[in-house]
Each structure stands twice: as structure tokens, then as C-alpha cells.
Amino acid sequence: MTYTGQCLCGGVTLAISGEPIGARQCWCRQCQQIAAGGPTHNAMFKSEDVEIAGKLASGTWTASSGNTLTFHFCPSCGNQIYAQSSARRHLKTVRLGVLDQPHGLRPEIVIWTDDAPDWAMIDPLLESWPQQPPAPTPTPAA
Amino acid sequence: MSEPHTGHCLCGQVSYTIAAEPVGARTCWCRDCQYIASGSATVNVLFPEDAVAFSGRLGRLRSTADSGNTVERGFCPDCGSQIFSRTAEPAGQPIRIRAGTLDNREIMPPSAIIWAASAPSWAVFDPALPCHAQGPNSELMEHKQ
């Protein structure tokens, strides 16, 4: 297994069998609400590579693109586990906080900086986008 | 902006009003907070606990934090948004409201970083803020260059 993880209370566990196609930090207002004030950190994996055990709850919001974003969380502790866009069902966007450390993943791109509060600390060396960037493209198979 | 301060979760099921001004604000990189905050630090604005009135159903998770204190974290069971953290034992500490749920996130910017020793290598710290290795009374760390 490439990555493993769990939520804070242990009710949900993850086993991931591949590498992500990318990892991002998102400052959209919705992410700040679910992430206790900071941005979410997300690694995008192929859906079929992500196995999740345990009970999940979910909610949705409509992204500015018009796509429906479904977010899945543990109903026992509220931890966000992953999200999925209606436009990209082949990807699961896993929240970095639930992966067992050390996992070596780190944000490569920062998105939705327009929504960040004045006190946000954003790495100036990372590629950043004021809103939604173009859809990710899968890395060609080695 | 003056009190009462207000806030709500992502789905709106939980809301609150706060009849006091904040007594502090800080970011926390303890491992529990990274779970709660989708890989980030939590950003917390501190208020006297008796000034905060919640409405809606709250989920609560009680556990022993890295500090050794018994901490209760409150969240919305319908959307998972983290709402607060309070110290059950020892009593008398301010309640920590998660800044993401405040209607005005600019009430008070963070003035300290705590549990910095647990932060991932890519975390970015404001060099102007005191950076504690563990809890708010722990030793200060040097900022990364």
C-alpha cells in the first residue's frame, strides 16, 4: 500500500495504492469553513486507487464552475476525508491531514487566493491561482 | 467591528453569537489539528466561554490532547465543519472558535504559532509571530530560514 490513513477518531480508514497526480492548497471560502480557518490540503488520486472503510457522511456545494463538489467526512469526529467533483469522478481528492505521517506529500499549487484572509501565510515559491485553475492533467505513465 | 460576533458552519445548521471581544488568536499545528484542518493548522480565535451561545445540533469529540489536557472538539454533524475546541480539564480556559466559521475572519489575526514542532516541513510561518515548539507556554523555536 502506498499510503494509509485514518480520521481523528479512527472510525474511517484509508488505503491508497498509487501516487497522486498532484497536491494543492485551497483557500476557497468553503474550504476555510471545513478546515478550521486555514486552507484544505488535497492530494488527487485515481478513484480506483483509494479504498475507504468505515461510515462516511457527505455534503455538497456548487462550485463557481457550476460543478457539484461532494465532500465526505467522518460523522463521528467531523474529519474531512475526501472530496469529488461531478466533472472529475475519476479522481478522489484526499485531505492530507488524514494520511499517516510521514507521507512526503506537500502542496505544489495554491488555489483560490482571492478568498484568503489578510493574515494568510502563502508560500511565495508555489504556483498560485486567484481562483480555480485549469483541470489537472494526468501524468503520463512512466 | 464590535460584538456580538457571529458565525456558522458550511451548511448553516450550526450558528453562534459571541457577546465579547476576543482575548487572543493563534494557529495550532498539533497533529490532532492537522487531522481536523485537512492538513493545515487550525486557526483559533479565543473568547471567554460563557460569552458564546450556540444554536443547532453539535457533534462533540472528547479526547486527551498532546498537551495532556482533556479537550472537547465541537463540529457540525451535517457538514463536519469544526466549530470550537474547549478544555474540559483543567477548566477556566478560553474557548477556541475555529476562524473558518467566523463571519468576519479578520476580527483578530493570529498572534502566535503553537505546536510548531509538529508542523510539516512545507508549513509557512509568519516571521513576525512567536513560534512555540509545543503549547503556548512552551519554549520558542527559531524560524526556518
Side-chain angles (χ1 to χ4, degrees):
Chain A
M1 207 50 59
T2 314
Y3 301 98
T4 55
Q6 64 169 59
C7 63
L8 184 59
C9 74
V12 175
T13 58
L14 299 95
I16 302 173
S17 59
E19 292 296 332
I21 64 164
R24 294 171 168 179
Q25 178 181 88
C26 180
W27 282 97
C28 81
R29 187 67 184 95
Q30 293 94 332
C31 277
Q32 293 175 59
Q33 283 174 312
I34 60 174
T40 56
H41 290 89
N42 306 292
M44 292 166 285
F45 292 94
K46 285 192 283 187
S47 292
E48 65 266 29
D49 287 349
V50 181
E51 274 184 50
I52 298 175
K55 187 178 168 194
L56 285 171
S58 67
T60 62
W61 72 70
T62 302
S64 57
S65 59
N67 297 332
T68 300
L69 196 289
T70 304
F71 57 97
H72 301 265
F73 60 96
C74 169
S76 297
C77 68
N79 264 203
Q80 302 292 325
I81 309 293
Y82 78 100
Q84 200 162 31
S85 166
S86 57
R88 291 183 285 282
R89 294 196 187 280
H90 60 293
L91 296 178
K92 282 189 168 130
T93 300
V94 175
R95 311 301 188 187
L96 278 194
V98 297
L99 295 182
D100 293 334
Q101 296 175 344
H103 50 63
L105 301 176
R106 55 184 296 157
E108 299 151 351
I109 297 175
V110 185
I111 66 174
W112 285 100
T113 57
D114 274 359
D115 281 2
D118 288 347
W119 43 259
M121 292 301 299
I122 297 173
D123 188 338
L125 299 178
L126 296 185
E127 175 184 333
S128 73
W129 294 79
Q131 297 185 356
Q132 187 68 23
T137 50
T139 308
Chain B
M1 185 183 280
S2 59
E3 57 178 283
H5 300 296
T6 56
H8 59 85
C9 64
L10 176 66
C11 73
Q13 192 269 127
V14 175
S15 60
Y16 55 81
T17 59
I18 305 171
E21 294 302 329
V23 296
R26 57 199 183 204
T27 60
C28 178
W29 283 100
C30 81
R31 182 65 181 100
D32 283 358
C33 277
Q34 295 177 55
Y35 278 106
I36 286 168
S38 292
S40 292
T42 55
V43 184
N44 303 290
V45 184
L46 283 58
F47 294 92
E49 186 168 345
D50 58 7
V52 185
F54 295 103
S55 64
R57 287 174 294 109
L58 279 167
R60 295 171 191 265
L61 181 73
R62 190 175 277 228
S63 61
T64 303
D66 286 347
S67 59
N69 295 337
T70 303
V71 172
E72 183 180 81
R73 279 108 177 188
F75 60 95
C76 170
D78 289 356
C79 69
S81 293
Q82 300 292 322
I83 310 292
F84 69 83
S85 168
R86 56 182 287 275
T87 304
E89 291 291 338
Q93 297 191 32
I95 190 170
R96 282 82 63 185
I97 297 292
R98 309 300 191 187
T101 61
L102 284 164
D103 290 335
N104 174 15
R105 295 158 294 159
E106 312 287 356
I107 292 173
M108 182 178 275
S111 57
I113 302 157
I114 63 173
W115 290 96
S118 319
S121 59
W122 45 262
V124 184
F125 298 154
D126 184 338
L129 298 186
C131 184
H132 297 272
Q134 299 185 340
N137 299 316
S138 69
E139 64 182 300
L140 289 170
M141 282 176 63
E142 298 244 344
H143 279 277
K144 292 178 287 188
Q145 296 301 307

